[in-house]
Amino acid sequence: MSDSKQVEIVELKHKTGKSSVSVSLFGATITSWKIFNTDMLWLSKKASLDGSRPIRGGIPIVFPQFGPGKLRQHGFARVSMWEHDSTTHDLQSGDCTAVFILKSNDTTRADWPHDFELQYQVQLGMTNLVTQLTCKNTGEAAFDFTALLHSYFPVSSIDEATIRGLYGLNYIDTIDENKVKTERDTLLTFKGEVDRIYKREVVTGADGRVRGNEVVFIGDGGNCDVGVKSVNFTDIVVWNPWAKKAEAMPDMEEDGWKHFVCVEAGSVSHPVKLGPGESWSAGQNLTLRILREAGEELARTSTGPRLDPLKPSGQ
Ligand code: TA6
């Protein structure tokens, strides 16, 4: 990856020494998450870490617009310099938490004329990683946005990658004229480009929280399975560009597309509406379920932060 003038990276290490996470202040992008020295996220070897373009891999933050539209693709959050607000350690569990802030400024207002404060909480457990995005409308007028955590998960080979937990969900197939279809496979496999927006069968409880189909499991066909539990996001995007689209990406390493799947918790099929002074919060809990080489030790010692009950969404 080209990092001639690398942007500051905040490193978190679990007290047990078994896990770590790295966050670039450019986009508050998580560029690395390791457990037992195994990479739990995929990062292109050609990713730019110098702030010259969005980071290809890890967990870029998409806000205030998912996809193409009036603003730049995926919005400005992932190409803005965030502030590292704090890092705290839980002496009992060994978990550590870092908080990053992005406030509206002249640059963001030139793109999107609203006042907001984004807070991004990154909580590292020994075998899990919780990331939670909170948006507060600090202006005088309501606004709409879409938001998503664009997580890239490594797989030994895309031919062996599987995703479980989507059965029965309706999805928008963006590579087939945005047709709405229903997932009929209990185990999703990859035979070509996939770019789908799955709508969680959501029930918005009396507390305003969104529930349903929280956990999706990614199997890499080999070493480890990861669970993606999302809270208060309404959708799950699944993406692999396959060969042709990948070749057109200057920051996609040779054959890189064969070694990741994106499973992205987000609220993208319908915008989130926030009135003045209102807040919205949503998050994901990424949990290592099986790391074959870690075997017994993992099973015995798995701990980690939970995704706190989120404040009701402003939706
Ligand atoms: O993952 C969903 C998606 O919207 C795809 O359509 C593809 O564009 C991908 O995001 C990557 O977008 P990027 O702007 O990072 O190349």
Side-chain angles (χ1 to χ4, degrees):
M1 59 203 79
S2 64
D3 51 6
S4 48
K5 176 181 65 65
Q6 185 159 332
V7 168
E8 184 185 340
I9 299 256
V10 173
E11 307 276 356
L12 298 181
K13 288 207 184 321
H14 196 266
K15 187 177 74 177
T16 59
K18 301 287 187 194
S19 62
S20 64
V21 71
S22 305
V23 188
S24 169
L25 293 190
F26 183 62
T29 308
I30 293 176
T31 55
S32 164
W33 170 37
K34 289 180 186 283
I35 301 179
F36 293 75
N37 220 19
T38 297
D39 279 320
M40 302 306 297
L41 293 170
W42 179 85
L43 183 73
S44 172
K45 292 184 181 60
K46 294 172 77 175
S48 301
L49 296 180
D50 59 2
S52 58
R53 59 182 163 199
I55 295 173
R56 176 68 62 200
I59 307 181
I61 297 172
V62 172
F63 175 91
Q65 171 192 290
F66 172 73
K70 278 196 291 190
L71 307 183
R72 67 172 62 225
Q73 159 91 346
H74 287 338
F76 49 68
R78 67 176 183 167
V79 292
S80 297
M81 286 307 294
W82 290 56
E83 181 197 325
H84 176 210
D85 182 66
S86 64
T87 295
T88 51
H89 296 267
D90 180 320
L91 299 179
Q92 195 179 2
S93 63
D95 301 347
C96 45
T97 299
V99 178
F100 301 87
I101 305 273
L102 177 66
K103 291 180 182 172
S104 48
N105 55 51
D106 291 346
T107 308
T108 64
R109 277 188 288 267
D111 266 4
W112 193 60
H114 301 292
D115 285 315
F116 65 88
E117 177 171 323
L118 282 183
Q119 187 186 87
Y120 189 49
Q121 202 175 324
V122 177
Q123 287 178 276
L124 177 69
M126 194 181 88
T127 57
N128 76 319
L129 178 67
V130 169
T131 59
Q132 188 168 335
L133 186 65
T134 299
C135 176
K136 179 169 183 172
N137 180 343
T138 54
E140 306 295 318
F143 58 62
D144 294 358
F145 65 90
T146 49
L148 170 132
L149 301 176
H150 200 295
S151 311
Y152 287 74
F153 296 97
V155 291
S156 37
S157 162
I158 192 67
D159 307 325
E160 293 168 12
T162 59
I163 297 181
R164 187 159 41 88
L166 297 168
Y167 178 78
L169 293 187
N170 291 330
Y171 64 90
I172 300 167
D173 189 344
T174 69
I175 59 171
D176 185 7
E177 299 166 357
N178 284 336
K179 285 179 190 152
V180 177
K181 302 174 181 176
T182 303
E183 185 53 65
R184 291 287 172 230
D185 292 336
T186 48
L187 213 52
L188 178 66
T189 55
F190 294 80
K191 305 275 181 294
E193 180 187 357
V194 170
D195 195 350
R196 302 175 181 177
I197 302 171
Y198 286 86
K199 301 183 186 181
R200 285 175 51 196
E201 291 307 314
V202 294
V203 173
T204 302
D207 62 1
R209 277 189 59 195
V210 163
R211 290 181 177 82
N213 298 88
E214 275 108 347
V215 194
V216 163
F217 300 101
I218 303 141
D220 78 345
N223 191 26
C224 76
D225 290 5
V226 175
V228 179
K229 176 182 169 72
S230 66
V231 175
N232 222 31
F233 280 124
T234 55
D235 306 295
I236 299 161
V237 174
V238 175
W239 176 61
N240 181 281
W242 217 252
K244 189 158 173 284
K245 291 239 171 108
E247 272 150 32
M249 295 175 186
D251 54 359
M252 178 68 69
E253 70 194 55
E254 175 92 17
D255 283 346
W257 60 275
K258 293 178 181 173
H259 301 292
F260 75 84
V261 287
C262 280
V263 175
E264 309 157 24
S267 289
V268 299
S269 56
H270 297 290
V272 178
K273 300 180 186 320
L274 274 191
E278 282 186 343
S279 282
W280 165 89
S281 194
Q284 65 179 5
N285 186 349
L286 307 179
T287 305
L288 174 62
R289 291 169 39 78
I290 305 169
L291 180 60
R292 288 168 184 79
E293 66 202 35
E296 295 313 308
E297 183 177 1
L298 173 66
R300 217 176 35 251
T301 53
S302 292
T303 61
R306 311 194 60 72
L307 199 49
D308 295 336
L310 301 169
K311 289 186 285 298
S313 78
Q315 284 152 309

